[in-house]
mmCIF file of all heavy atoms in Angstrom:
data_model
loop_
_atom_site.group_PDB
_atom_site.id
_atom_site.type_symbol
_atom_site.label_atom_id
_atom_site.label_comp_id
_atom_site.label_asym_id
_atom_site.label_seq_id
_atom_site.Cartn_x
_atom_site.Cartn_y
_atom_site.Cartn_z
ATOM 1 N N GLY A 1 5.144 -23.066 0.512
ATOM 2 C CA GLY A 1 4.533 -23.883 -0.534
ATOM 3 C C GLY A 1 3.299 -24.612 -0.073
ATOM 4 O O GLY A 1 2.953 -25.675 -0.601
ATOM 5 N N ALA A 2 2.622 -24.054 0.914
ATOM 6 C CA ALA A 2 1.453 -24.718 1.491
ATOM 7 C C ALA A 2 0.190 -23.929 1.169
ATOM 8 O O ALA A 2 0.230 -22.715 0.943
ATOM 9 C CB ALA A 2 1.617 -24.847 3.005
ATOM 10 N N SER A 3 -0.924 -24.621 1.174
ATOM 11 C CA SER A 3 -2.225 -23.960 1.056
ATOM 12 C C SER A 3 -2.747 -23.684 2.458
ATOM 13 O O SER A 3 -2.397 -24.379 3.411
ATOM 14 C CB SER A 3 -3.207 -24.830 0.283
ATOM 15 O OG SER A 3 -3.385 -26.073 0.942
ATOM 16 N N SER A 4 -3.593 -22.681 2.577
ATOM 17 C CA SER A 4 -4.125 -22.323 3.885
ATOM 18 C C SER A 4 -5.342 -21.428 3.690
ATOM 19 O O SER A 4 -5.533 -20.843 2.610
ATOM 20 C CB SER A 4 -3.070 -21.588 4.724
ATOM 21 O OG SER A 4 -2.883 -20.273 4.222
ATOM 22 N N PRO A 5 -6.187 -21.319 4.706
ATOM 23 C CA PRO A 5 -7.322 -20.394 4.608
ATOM 24 C C PRO A 5 -6.869 -18.961 4.329
ATOM 25 O O PRO A 5 -7.573 -18.214 3.653
ATOM 26 C CB PRO A 5 -7.987 -20.513 5.984
ATOM 27 C CG PRO A 5 -7.612 -21.870 6.470
ATOM 28 C CD PRO A 5 -6.229 -22.108 5.953
ATOM 29 N N ALA A 6 -5.702 -18.577 4.850
ATOM 30 C CA ALA A 6 -5.212 -17.214 4.612
ATOM 31 C C ALA A 6 -4.896 -17.006 3.131
ATOM 32 O O ALA A 6 -5.187 -15.944 2.566
ATOM 33 C CB ALA A 6 -3.976 -16.947 5.467
ATOM 34 N N VAL A 7 -4.301 -18.018 2.477
ATOM 35 C CA VAL A 7 -4.013 -17.908 1.040
ATOM 36 C C VAL A 7 -5.318 -17.816 0.255
ATOM 37 O O VAL A 7 -5.440 -17.020 -0.687
ATOM 38 C CB VAL A 7 -3.175 -19.105 0.565
ATOM 39 C CG1 VAL A 7 -3.007 -19.067 -0.955
ATOM 40 C CG2 VAL A 7 -1.813 -19.098 1.249
ATOM 41 N N ASP A 8 -6.307 -18.623 0.641
ATOM 42 C CA ASP A 8 -7.615 -18.553 -0.025
ATOM 43 C C ASP A 8 -8.231 -17.170 0.141
ATOM 44 O O ASP A 8 -8.848 -16.641 -0.792
ATOM 45 C CB ASP A 8 -8.556 -19.611 0.558
ATOM 46 C CG ASP A 8 -8.076 -21.031 0.274
ATOM 47 O OD1 ASP A 8 -7.274 -21.209 -0.670
ATOM 48 O OD2 ASP A 8 -8.489 -21.945 1.016
ATOM 49 N N ARG A 9 -8.046 -16.583 1.334
ATOM 50 C CA ARG A 9 -8.593 -15.244 1.574
ATOM 51 C C ARG A 9 -7.898 -14.211 0.691
ATOM 52 O O ARG A 9 -8.541 -13.297 0.153
ATOM 53 C CB ARG A 9 -8.438 -14.877 3.051
ATOM 54 C CG ARG A 9 -8.898 -13.468 3.391
ATOM 55 C CD ARG A 9 -10.400 -13.286 3.136
ATOM 56 N NE ARG A 9 -10.805 -11.904 3.341
ATOM 57 C CZ ARG A 9 -11.093 -11.375 4.524
ATOM 58 N NH1 ARG A 9 -11.013 -12.121 5.621
ATOM 59 N NH2 ARG A 9 -11.462 -10.128 4.627
ATOM 60 N N ILE A 10 -6.590 -14.338 0.512
ATOM 61 C CA ILE A 10 -5.858 -13.404 -0.338
ATOM 62 C C ILE A 10 -6.337 -13.511 -1.782
ATOM 63 O O ILE A 10 -6.464 -12.498 -2.495
ATOM 64 C CB ILE A 10 -4.340 -13.663 -0.239
ATOM 65 C CG1 ILE A 10 -3.838 -13.345 1.165
ATOM 66 C CG2 ILE A 10 -3.584 -12.833 -1.268
ATOM 67 C CD1 ILE A 10 -4.073 -11.927 1.609
ATOM 68 N N ALA A 11 -6.623 -14.732 -2.240
ATOM 69 C CA ALA A 11 -7.142 -14.912 -3.595
ATOM 70 C C ALA A 11 -8.480 -14.199 -3.761
ATOM 71 O O ALA A 11 -8.729 -13.530 -4.778
ATOM 72 C CB ALA A 11 -7.286 -16.399 -3.905
ATOM 73 N N ILE A 12 -9.333 -14.299 -2.748
ATOM 74 C CA ILE A 12 -10.624 -13.606 -2.796
ATOM 75 C C ILE A 12 -10.419 -12.094 -2.778
ATOM 76 O O ILE A 12 -11.081 -11.350 -3.509
ATOM 77 C CB ILE A 12 -11.504 -14.053 -1.609
ATOM 78 C CG1 ILE A 12 -11.851 -15.534 -1.738
ATOM 79 C CG2 ILE A 12 -12.765 -13.208 -1.523
ATOM 80 C CD1 ILE A 12 -12.575 -16.110 -0.536
ATOM 81 N N GLU A 13 -9.492 -11.649 -1.934
ATOM 82 C CA GLU A 13 -9.208 -10.217 -1.857
ATOM 83 C C GLU A 13 -8.699 -9.673 -3.189
ATOM 84 O O GLU A 13 -9.039 -8.566 -3.594
ATOM 85 C CB GLU A 13 -8.169 -9.955 -0.761
ATOM 86 C CG GLU A 13 -8.707 -10.054 0.643
ATOM 87 C CD GLU A 13 -9.599 -8.878 1.002
ATOM 88 O OE1 GLU A 13 -9.276 -7.738 0.606
ATOM 89 O OE2 GLU A 13 -10.615 -9.104 1.666
ATOM 90 N N LEU A 14 -7.872 -10.446 -3.878
ATOM 91 C CA LEU A 14 -7.363 -10.000 -5.176
ATOM 92 C C LEU A 14 -8.505 -9.780 -6.160
ATOM 93 O O LEU A 14 -8.444 -8.869 -6.997
ATOM 94 C CB LEU A 14 -6.374 -11.026 -5.731
ATOM 95 C CG LEU A 14 -4.994 -11.048 -5.072
ATOM 96 C CD1 LEU A 14 -4.212 -12.282 -5.509
ATOM 97 C CD2 LEU A 14 -4.211 -9.774 -5.424
ATOM 98 N N ARG A 15 -9.552 -10.577 -6.060
ATOM 99 C CA ARG A 15 -10.686 -10.427 -6.964
ATOM 100 C C ARG A 15 -11.627 -9.315 -6.540
ATOM 101 O O ARG A 15 -12.246 -8.670 -7.384
ATOM 102 C CB ARG A 15 -11.473 -11.748 -7.046
ATOM 103 C CG ARG A 15 -10.689 -12.916 -7.612
ATOM 104 C CD ARG A 15 -11.616 -14.074 -7.974
ATOM 105 N NE ARG A 15 -12.336 -14.608 -6.830
ATOM 106 C CZ ARG A 15 -11.903 -15.592 -6.061
ATOM 107 N NH1 ARG A 15 -10.702 -16.130 -6.284
ATOM 108 N NH2 ARG A 15 -12.635 -16.050 -5.068
ATOM 109 N N GLN A 16 -11.740 -9.092 -5.220
ATOM 110 C CA GLN A 16 -12.764 -8.171 -4.734
ATOM 111 C C GLN A 16 -12.209 -6.824 -4.285
ATOM 112 O O GLN A 16 -12.882 -5.798 -4.466
ATOM 113 C CB GLN A 16 -13.531 -8.821 -3.576
ATOM 114 C CG GLN A 16 -14.279 -10.079 -3.992
ATOM 115 C CD GLN A 16 -15.031 -10.696 -2.828
ATOM 116 O OE1 GLN A 16 -14.901 -10.271 -1.678
ATOM 117 N NE2 GLN A 16 -15.835 -11.714 -3.117
ATOM 118 N N HIS A 17 -11.043 -6.819 -3.681
ATOM 119 C CA HIS A 17 -10.458 -5.582 -3.154
ATOM 120 C C HIS A 17 -8.974 -5.548 -3.532
ATOM 121 O O HIS A 17 -8.100 -5.560 -2.661
ATOM 122 C CB HIS A 17 -10.619 -5.500 -1.633
ATOM 123 C CG HIS A 17 -12.035 -5.632 -1.164
ATOM 124 N ND1 HIS A 17 -12.958 -4.618 -1.296
ATOM 125 C CD2 HIS A 17 -12.687 -6.671 -0.593
ATOM 126 C CE1 HIS A 17 -14.121 -5.022 -0.811
ATOM 127 N NE2 HIS A 17 -13.981 -6.260 -0.370
ATOM 128 N N THR A 18 -8.724 -5.503 -4.822
ATOM 129 C CA THR A 18 -7.356 -5.651 -5.321
ATOM 130 C C THR A 18 -6.421 -4.603 -4.746
ATOM 131 O O THR A 18 -5.307 -4.912 -4.320
ATOM 132 C CB THR A 18 -7.350 -5.570 -6.858
ATOM 133 O OG1 THR A 18 -8.397 -6.385 -7.376
ATOM 134 C CG2 THR A 18 -6.018 -6.025 -7.414
ATOM 135 N N GLY A 19 -6.858 -3.360 -4.766
ATOM 136 C CA GLY A 19 -5.989 -2.292 -4.290
ATOM 137 C C GLY A 19 -5.605 -2.445 -2.837
ATOM 138 O O GLY A 19 -4.459 -2.210 -2.453
ATOM 139 N N ARG A 20 -6.564 -2.859 -2.003
ATOM 140 C CA ARG A 20 -6.294 -3.007 -0.576
ATOM 141 C C ARG A 20 -5.255 -4.083 -0.309
ATOM 142 O O ARG A 20 -4.268 -3.855 0.405
ATOM 143 C CB ARG A 20 -7.593 -3.329 0.167
ATOM 144 C CG ARG A 20 -7.402 -3.600 1.652
ATOM 145 C CD ARG A 20 -8.724 -3.698 2.378
ATOM 146 N NE ARG A 20 -9.469 -4.897 2.024
ATOM 147 C CZ ARG A 20 -10.675 -5.186 2.514
ATOM 148 N NH1 ARG A 20 -11.261 -4.327 3.328
ATOM 149 N NH2 ARG A 20 -11.292 -6.300 2.168
ATOM 150 N N VAL A 21 -5.473 -5.276 -0.884
ATOM 151 C CA VAL A 21 -4.544 -6.364 -0.611
ATOM 152 C C VAL A 21 -3.193 -6.105 -1.272
ATOM 153 O O VAL A 21 -2.134 -6.451 -0.721
ATOM 154 C CB VAL A 21 -5.132 -7.715 -1.072
ATOM 155 C CG1 VAL A 21 -5.235 -7.800 -2.581
ATOM 156 C CG2 VAL A 21 -4.299 -8.874 -0.541
ATOM 157 N N ALA A 22 -3.194 -5.454 -2.445
ATOM 158 C CA ALA A 22 -1.923 -5.154 -3.111
ATOM 159 C C ALA A 22 -1.090 -4.215 -2.257
ATOM 160 O O ALA A 22 0.127 -4.405 -2.100
ATOM 161 C CB ALA A 22 -2.185 -4.540 -4.486
ATOM 162 N N TRP A 23 -1.731 -3.207 -1.694
ATOM 163 C CA TRP A 23 -1.002 -2.237 -0.871
ATOM 164 C C TRP A 23 -0.408 -2.915 0.359
ATOM 165 O O TRP A 23 0.740 -2.663 0.732
ATOM 166 C CB TRP A 23 -1.956 -1.116 -0.472
ATOM 167 C CG TRP A 23 -1.285 0.041 0.179
ATOM 168 C CD1 TRP A 23 -0.683 1.103 -0.422
ATOM 169 C CD2 TRP A 23 -1.128 0.237 1.588
ATOM 170 N NE1 TRP A 23 -0.168 1.957 0.521
ATOM 171 C CE2 TRP A 23 -0.430 1.448 1.759
ATOM 172 C CE3 TRP A 23 -1.508 -0.480 2.716
ATOM 173 C CZ2 TRP A 23 -0.112 1.954 3.011
ATOM 174 C CZ3 TRP A 23 -1.194 0.024 3.970
ATOM 175 C CH2 TRP A 23 -0.509 1.225 4.097
ATOM 176 N N LYS A 24 -1.169 -3.797 0.989
ATOM 177 C CA LYS A 24 -0.672 -4.469 2.195
ATOM 178 C C LYS A 24 0.434 -5.458 1.863
ATOM 179 O O LYS A 24 1.407 -5.594 2.623
ATOM 180 C CB LYS A 24 -1.826 -5.166 2.916
ATOM 181 C CG LYS A 24 -2.812 -4.196 3.554
ATOM 182 C CD LYS A 24 -3.693 -4.876 4.575
ATOM 183 C CE LYS A 24 -4.522 -3.853 5.339
ATOM 184 N NZ LYS A 24 -5.251 -4.418 6.474
ATOM 185 N N LEU A 25 0.308 -6.150 0.756
ATOM 186 C CA LEU A 25 1.349 -7.096 0.370
ATOM 187 C C LEU A 25 2.656 -6.379 0.060
ATOM 188 O O LEU A 25 3.747 -6.858 0.407
ATOM 189 C CB LEU A 25 0.892 -7.914 -0.838
ATOM 190 C CG LEU A 25 -0.175 -8.977 -0.563
ATOM 191 C CD1 LEU A 25 -0.751 -9.509 -1.865
ATOM 192 C CD2 LEU A 25 0.405 -10.111 0.277
ATOM 193 N N LYS A 26 2.581 -5.243 -0.593
ATOM 194 C CA LYS A 26 3.802 -4.488 -0.899
ATOM 195 C C LYS A 26 4.539 -4.102 0.375
ATOM 196 O O LYS A 26 5.772 -4.114 0.428
ATOM 197 C CB LYS A 26 3.455 -3.232 -1.696
ATOM 198 C CG LYS A 26 3.019 -3.474 -3.127
ATOM 199 C CD LYS A 26 2.652 -2.145 -3.780
ATOM 200 C CE LYS A 26 2.094 -2.335 -5.160
ATOM 201 N NZ LYS A 26 1.695 -1.055 -5.776
ATOM 202 N N ARG A 27 3.792 -3.754 1.395
ATOM 203 C CA ARG A 27 4.414 -3.323 2.645
ATOM 204 C C ARG A 27 5.050 -4.478 3.400
ATOM 205 O O ARG A 27 5.990 -4.288 4.161
ATOM 206 C CB ARG A 27 3.374 -2.653 3.550
ATOM 207 C CG ARG A 27 2.922 -1.290 3.100
ATOM 208 C CD ARG A 27 1.948 -0.669 4.098
ATOM 209 N NE ARG A 27 2.518 -0.601 5.417
ATOM 210 C CZ ARG A 27 1.997 -1.209 6.493
ATOM 211 N NH1 ARG A 27 0.912 -1.939 6.376
ATOM 212 N NH2 ARG A 27 2.570 -1.100 7.674
ATOM 213 N N ARG A 28 4.521 -5.690 3.205
ATOM 214 C CA ARG A 28 4.945 -6.816 4.025
ATOM 215 C C ARG A 28 6.039 -7.663 3.385
ATOM 216 O O ARG A 28 6.745 -8.387 4.079
ATOM 217 C CB ARG A 28 3.737 -7.710 4.327
ATOM 218 C CG ARG A 28 2.702 -7.046 5.228
ATOM 219 C CD ARG A 28 3.269 -6.806 6.601
ATOM 220 N NE ARG A 28 2.311 -6.172 7.492
ATOM 221 C CZ ARG A 28 2.563 -5.873 8.762
ATOM 222 N NH1 ARG A 28 3.751 -6.149 9.268
ATOM 223 N NH2 ARG A 28 1.664 -5.286 9.510
ATOM 224 N N LEU A 29 6.166 -7.633 2.069
ATOM 225 C CA LEU A 29 7.122 -8.508 1.390
ATOM 226 C C LEU A 29 8.492 -7.862 1.303
ATOM 227 O O LEU A 29 8.624 -6.712 0.873
ATOM 228 C CB LEU A 29 6.615 -8.852 -0.010
ATOM 229 C CG LEU A 29 5.500 -9.905 -0.041
ATOM 230 C CD1 LEU A 29 4.824 -9.903 -1.389
ATOM 231 C CD2 LEU A 29 6.053 -11.281 0.284
#
């Protein structure tokens, strides 16, 4: 439940490289 530079980066990735971050998140969760 914390904010972090990594969370901010994921938000940017969702806007700019959605497919890339989505694929990596699926593998990690």
Side-chain angles (χ1 to χ4, degrees):
S3 60
S4 73
V7 174
D8 295 339
R9 176 63 186 277
I10 294 301
I12 295 173
E13 285 288 321
L14 285 168
R15 297 194 298 270
Q16 297 180 353
H17 305 285
T18 314
R20 176 171 70 182
V21 68
W23 189 85
K24 290 197 172 189
L25 287 168
K26 289 178 185 178
R27 288 183 56 240
R28 293 294 180 179
L29 283 165

